[in-house]
Amino acid sequence: MTITRELLIGGKSVPARSGRTTADLNPYTGQPYATVAAAGPEDVTLAVDAAQAAFDDWAALSPFARRAIFLKAADLLQERGEQAAALMAGEVGGTRPWALFNVGLAANMLREAAAAITAPRGDVLTAQEEGALGLAVREPVGVVAAFSPWNAPLILGVRSVAAALAAGNTVVMKPSEDAPIACGLFVADVLAEAGLPDGVLNVVTNDPADAAQIAETLIADPRVRAVNFTGSTEVGRIIGTHAARHLKPAMLELGGKNAIIVLDDADLDYAVDAATFGVFMNAGQICMSGDRVLVHESLAEEFTARFAAKVAALPAGDPAEPTTVIGPLVSAAAARRVAALVSDAVAKGATVVTGGGEPSGAVHPATVLTGVPADADLYYGEGFGPICVIDTFATDEEAVTKANDTDHGLTAGIITENGTHGLRVARRLQTGIVHVNDQSVADEPQAPFGGFKSSGYGRFGGRWGIEAFTNTRWITLATQHAHYPF
């Protein structure tokens, strides 16, 4: 039976004012999984009304009371692991291991946010004036607009709101049209059950055709004081432009063209396993996925053979099957886009080592290419699917040059048994994140997560997330009367 969900505004489930709805499709079957309300600009305004009305009380609530809500929400989320796995399989084609990883990390993000609520915040400053006390304090900004993506729906849905709420802000969330429940309404359900007051988190779902108007309306509202967006670089540029036009800070975590570098001192078995995970987890639909595997020429032949064999054996198909590794992409159109990248590369001289061919619905075969030329669309374009390119290098200098030859700069992995060697290479990469002796996909709730160059700016995680959603104020207290020249 198809699920039906409405907007969440002021703690109440309400239809769109227009009465419109939109279908939320199961990518594996192509059939409707859910029907959700399709908001218009008037609904966005009502959601901001509710968030603004709830702000003063939420910001004034005891930090210990706020912390208790986040800790309870973390426990509730973990208790709902099976429900989350079924939801992610039906809504975005997520495999069970990926869904349970989402649950675990998202729960820990809530716990980290809880810890941040009662952590020390601010500074005591030296003062020029005798007898004066200077303070730098961090205070909530007000209403935050949060845009959450579909690909890691629980992780990124929670991340889009957790730090903002922990800092004392209220939020209007616009979840992806491809996962309005998993990365929006489900997250709000858990927080509401944990005791989050009405109006503190509001969720506005929409038809894909209305996405631009909804986003612009939300960001333009003068009561919205900060914005965060996770998604493609293309859309991120639009969001960032809207925010800049209205002089609002924006935190943007965007796409990547990430490299996994296999140095000459790598353990080959470990390198194959690490690269397979880094490229093909969630069918490559992770901003941190390894699009490129750069292998030292002394290891390239053997690595390629072993890697291709392992990739070819990855189980693909129905995300509901517990053994499936390569599930469907978010849509059949997404699978056709990946197939077009492969076809273009091959037409321009690339070789398919394994995979390729036509997708089956939304399922695209796990694909490895070599010899991709610079004029192929895939060379600089983000694959965002079960696809990667193997390239070789002779020196560390060449590896660094190739890894940095992209407009993006999100993450990288360096496989080596020599930590100092790996660190030397890591320091030269133009990324926000790099993992030595590991692949490119990793996230921890206390770490500063974000990109460089066209992969965005700002940092989620730990104290950096709290700083992103607070206003730093300078406050002084004079303990004696000042002397004035007139």
Side-chain angles (χ1 to χ4, degrees):
M1 186 169 121
T2 303
I3 300 167
T4 301
R5 293 297 303 261
E6 297 180 317
L7 311 176
L8 178 65
I9 298 178
K12 295 181 174 59
S13 179
V14 297
R17 291 289 293 272
S18 66
R20 294 172 58 223
T21 62
T22 187
D24 177 19
L25 301 180
N26 179 319
Y28 186 65
T29 66
Q31 299 301 308
Y33 174 75
T35 299
V36 299
E42 64 278 12
D43 299 300
V44 173
T45 300
L46 290 173
V48 179
D49 289 345
Q52 182 65 37
F55 172 66
D56 286 341
D57 288 345
W58 175 245
L61 187 66
S62 157
F64 290 90
R66 273 191 275 143
R67 184 178 67 176
I69 292 170
F70 279 78
L71 292 174
K72 184 175 181 181
D75 292 342
L76 287 172
L77 183 56
Q78 288 203 291
E79 290 171 9
R80 295 186 177 185
E82 293 303 320
Q83 181 185 352
L87 171 59
M88 282 182 57
E91 194 171 40
V92 294
T95 63
R96 179 179 171 80
W98 176 237
L100 295 182
F101 176 77
N102 265 252
V103 169
L105 180 53
N108 282 335
M109 286 177 166
L110 290 168
R111 295 185 180 105
E112 182 65 26
I117 292 171
T118 51
R121 191 183 307 166
D123 298 282
V124 177
L125 308 174
T126 56
Q128 177 177 300
E129 299 297 327
E130 184 179 352
L133 175 66
L135 301 174
V137 300
R138 305 198 72 94
E139 296 181 351
V141 298
V143 180
V144 173
F147 295 82
S148 55
W150 56 265
N151 59 313
L154 298 184
I155 294 170
L156 301 180
V158 166
R159 191 182 73 176
S160 72
V161 302
L165 294 173
N169 302 290
T170 54
V171 174
V172 176
M173 176 197 251
K174 195 202 90 63
S176 165
E177 298 84 9
D178 288 314
I181 301 176
C183 72
L185 293 164
F186 180 78
V187 171
D189 290 344
V190 170
L191 283 162
E193 188 175 338
L196 192 73
D198 292 348
V200 174
L201 174 58
N202 306 273
V203 182
V204 177
T205 59
N206 61 274
D207 187 274
D210 302 326
Q213 184 183 30
I214 295 298
E216 187 169 3
T217 302
L218 179 56
I219 296 170
D221 193 300
R223 296 166 297 176
V224 170
R225 297 310 320 154
V227 178
N228 79 81
F229 171 85
T230 300
S232 71
T233 297
E234 179 185 7
V235 177
R237 290 184 195 279
I238 297 170
I239 298 295
T241 298
H242 287 321
R245 183 179 299 117
H246 298 284
L247 294 179
K248 299 177 182 181
M251 183 153 52
L252 306 176
E253 197 262 282
L254 309 177
K257 187 66 179 175
N258 312 300
I260 299 171
I261 303 172
V262 181
L263 297 178
D264 59 355
D265 49 23
D267 178 294
L268 203 55
D269 288 334
Y270 176 70
V272 168
D273 289 346
T276 304
F277 177 88
V279 173
F280 294 105
M281 183 62 176
N282 195 34
Q285 298 174 114
I286 305 174
C287 58
M288 299 171 283
S289 294
D291 271 25
R292 302 170 292 159
V293 183
L294 307 179
V295 186
H296 191 272
E297 61 185 15
S298 66
L299 303 177
E301 184 176 354
E302 188 173 359
F303 174 88
T304 301
R306 293 193 196 183
F307 182 62
K310 185 176 180 71
V311 170
L314 296 176
D318 188 346
E321 291 292 330
T323 58
T324 297
V325 174
I326 306 296
L329 276 70
V330 71
S331 66
R336 292 193 297 270
R337 180 190 60 81
V338 173
L341 289 172
V342 176
S343 297
D344 174 74
V346 170
K348 292 171 179 173
T351 299
V352 175
V353 180
T354 188
E358 292 300 312
S360 174
V363 179
H364 189 283
T367 301
V368 179
L369 301 170
T370 59
V372 174
D375 63 340
D377 294 340
L378 182 60
Y379 191 87
Y380 289 110
E382 185 178 14
F384 216 71
I387 180 175
C388 76
V389 174
I390 295 178
D391 198 359
T392 64
F393 61 89
T395 65
D396 289 355
E397 178 68 32
E398 186 181 3
V400 169
T401 298
K402 287 187 173 183
N404 288 339
D405 185 22
T406 171
D407 288 338
H408 292 90
L410 182 55
T411 183
I414 300 171
I415 309 299
T416 174
E417 291 298 297
N418 184 328
T420 55
H421 184 190
L423 188 58
R424 286 198 304 271
V425 174
R427 295 296 298 271
R428 299 172 64 192
L429 299 181
Q430 298 169 350
T431 61
I433 306 164
V434 61
H435 305 290
V436 177
N437 209 26
D438 203 350
Q439 42 72 49
S440 56
V441 177
D443 194 0
E444 294 183 2
Q446 80 286 359
F449 189 100
F452 185 54
K453 301 195 291 187
S454 291
S455 290
Y457 46 77
R459 296 293 181 267
F460 291 96
R463 64 179 175 84
W464 298 273
I466 297 295
E467 289 171 1
F469 298 109
T470 50
N471 179 34
T472 301
R473 302 183 66 205
W474 177 37
I475 299 176
T476 66
L477 170 64
T479 62
Q480 61 189 46
H481 289 178
H483 297 285
Y484 306 108
F486 56 85

